[in-house]
Amino acid sequence: MTILITGGAGFIGSTLADKLLSMGKKVAVVDNFNDYYDSEIKENNVKSNLNNLQYKLYRGDICNRELMRQIFSENKISTVVHIAARAGVRPSLEDPLEYVRSNIEGSVNILENMKNFGVKKLVFASSSSVYGNCSAEKFSENLKVTEPISPYAATKSACEQFIYTYSKLYGINAVCLRFFTVYGPKQRPDLAIRKFIELINNDEAIPVYGDGTTMRDYTYIDDIVDGIIKSINYNKTQYEIINLGGGNPVTLNEMIETIEQVLNKKAKINRLPMQAGDVNKTVSDISKAKNLLGYNPKISFMEGVQKFVDWKTCEDMKIENQIYNNV
Ligand SMILES: NC(=O)c1ccc[n+]([C@@H]2O[C@H](COP(=O)([O-])OP(=O)(O)OC[C@H]3O[C@@H](n4cnc5c(N)ncnc54)[C@H](O)[C@@H]3O)[C@@H](O)[C@H]2O)c1
């Protein structure tokens, strides 16, 4: 049986694919390698699996009805891990229609195929952004989430609802995982930690929006992948929404201080006003993930930043060697 990963060339999807293959699972990936960020990064993410007989890559759009039908008919799919989406909060204010197309239309196309081909297990990449500017001390899954403050967040909320509907109508077992800011090796280049590490390393100023007191519950990529795999194996209830967070939120100022410590360099700060669509804080309540899945994030923020910097240094050295060898 095959696990289908949509968006499997991206940051989280490709890390999950690598892990599942290392566990001996059969994996199919669909990804359109869009230009939201440099598609060469995505090519790099899939490169090492292309000759693996347990791995199949489909290049194309999840909204393409013909392609998705073909993927479902060519593979015996046991589980869909639906990760493909236009990610990123701020760009969703610029191009909301693309977010509606990729995130909502794409998700419904997948649900239609699951219905038509009798696939009964779905794990969905939702987001902490659905909580909006929630005033609760911790964000728990039983809070009403009716006030998303970006088109991106609104699409994720809509997907959770469509998944609920299909789960109830067609008996699909579904887990919607609300990821809290994921970081680590292969992280998207548009996300703050990666940008800051690169800029501080090059002695360039980092753009800091607001006074630095905004707070994020950063979650290390390996902990997220562990939570996804636990959700693939979860089958006690038919529909669940579950937070996957790191459990130890840090402020923007603390995030910068941690990077400074790991790099042993002082950041130059370019202070800018808060951006529309950005929430003030994300603080996960992960007790449900602990109880239902046995999820237990292991990597502290300091450790995670150190691992990320080590990986980045290695990648930069590979690129330098390549340039050197080509001269
Ligand atoms: N990274 C985070 O901090 C974070 C936090 C919360 C939720 N999420 C969610 O997790 C998922 C993965 O995030 P990521 O950081 O790995 O992003 P990513 O952009 O690296 O990965 C998404 C992948 O989906 C593909 N894709 C997008 N639209 C597609 C379409 N229409 N058809 C086919 N492929 C398409 C992209 O090419 C990309 O490879 C997204 O759904 C995102 O909303 C991420």
Side-chain angles (χ1 to χ4, degrees):
M1 294 298 270
T2 296
I3 297 174
L4 172 65
I5 306 176
T6 71
F11 163 43
I12 299 173
S14 66
T15 312
L16 173 68
D18 292 350
K19 181 71 187 176
L20 289 172
L21 288 167
S22 78
M23 295 163 67
K25 305 285 181 197
K26 218 168 169 182
V27 170
V29 157
V30 56
D31 200 299
N32 68 356
F33 292 78
N34 65 48
D35 62 359
Y36 174 68
Y37 59 86
D38 184 358
S39 62
E40 266 308 302
I41 297 178
K42 301 175 191 181
E43 295 290 349
N44 235 345
N45 289 343
V46 299
K47 204 167 59 186
S48 63
N49 295 327
L50 294 178
N51 293 326
N52 188 333
L53 295 176
Q54 295 286 91
Y55 181 83
K56 229 174 183 179
L57 173 65
Y58 293 87
R59 291 172 185 270
D61 202 295
I62 54 165
C63 297
N64 181 330
R65 294 187 193 189
E66 203 40 60
L67 172 70
M68 291 314 295
R69 226 189 334 264
Q70 182 198 339
I71 295 173
F72 275 81
S73 60
E74 281 182 6
N75 299 280
K76 283 205 170 86
I77 298 170
S78 59
T79 303
V80 177
V81 185
H82 176 32
I83 291 180
R86 278 288 167 148
V89 170
R90 292 170 198 159
S92 75
L93 278 69
E94 306 296 320
D95 192 3
L97 288 177
E98 177 52 31
Y99 279 69
V100 169
R101 193 192 72 84
S102 269
N103 299 8
I104 303 180
E105 187 187 328
S107 296
V108 177
N109 194 25
I110 284 157
L111 288 165
E112 273 294 288
N113 279 287
M114 291 186 69
K115 175 190 89 181
N116 294 338
F117 287 86
V119 178
K120 295 291 185 197
K121 178 77 204 186
L122 173 68
V123 179
F124 171 65
S126 188
S127 164
S128 62
S129 63
V130 301
Y131 289 106
N133 265 330
C134 171
S135 60
E137 203 180 313
K138 280 188 172 188
F139 299 176
S140 98
E141 298 85 348
N142 51 25
L143 289 166
K144 283 256 173 291
V145 289
T146 50
E147 296 174 355
I149 64 161
S150 67
Y152 166 71
T155 65
K156 289 289 175 184
S157 249
C159 288
E160 289 183 356
Q161 292 188 38
F162 267 108
I163 292 168
Y164 178 85
T165 307
Y166 273 72
S167 168
K168 294 295 155 186
L169 282 174
Y170 308 114
I172 294 172
N173 285 319
V175 180
C176 296
L177 294 172
R178 290 180 179 162
F179 299 158
F180 284 67
T181 320
V182 190
Y183 73 104
K186 302 208 269 182
Q187 189 187 22
R188 294 197 332 253
D190 59 310
L191 291 174
I193 293 190
R194 182 164 185 163
K195 267 203 293 212
F196 284 10
I197 288 174
E198 286 168 354
L199 291 169
I200 297 173
N201 234 341
N202 295 334
D203 297 315
E204 289 176 56
I206 54 171
V208 176
Y209 298 99
D211 64 2
T213 56
T214 54
M215 193 179 262
R216 291 288 177 275
D217 195 333
Y218 293 104
T219 318
Y220 192 70
I221 181 69
D222 292 0
D223 287 324
I224 287 288
V225 165
D226 179 57
I228 297 174
I229 292 172
K230 287 185 158 77
S231 304
I232 293 174
N233 297 325
Y234 176 79
N235 57 12
K236 291 207 180 82
T237 46
Q238 200 178 323
Y239 177 87
E240 293 292 348
I241 292 176
I242 302 178
N243 289 337
L244 286 189
N248 285 306
V250 297
T251 64
L252 183 51
N253 288 333
E254 286 165 342
M255 183 260 258
I256 297 166
E257 281 161 25
T258 308
I259 296 176
E260 286 177 329
Q261 272 184 48
V262 170
L263 293 177
N264 199 17
K265 274 195 165 188
K266 194 86 194 125
K268 292 177 190 156
I269 290 178
N270 178 20
R271 185 96 36 209
L272 297 162
M274 278 285 285
Q275 297 241 311
D278 278 355
V279 298
N280 297 326
K281 66 164 191 184
T282 63
V283 184
S284 66
D285 177 345
I286 51 172
S287 48
K288 186 172 178 184
K290 285 185 171 176
N291 291 337
L292 290 192
L293 305 175
Y295 169 75
N296 194 13
K298 294 190 178 60
I299 307 291
S300 72
F301 189 59
M302 176 64 92
E303 257 180 291
V305 171
Q306 182 67 61
K307 278 168 170 280
F308 188 23
V309 167
D310 292 346
W311 170 83
K312 187 83 192 45
T313 313
C314 238
E315 288 300 295
D316 292 346
M317 269 164 59
K318 274 191 221 159
I319 293 168
E320 258 177 48
N321 281 342
Q322 239 169 21
I323 295 170
Y324 179 76
N325 288 335
N326 289 340
V327 171

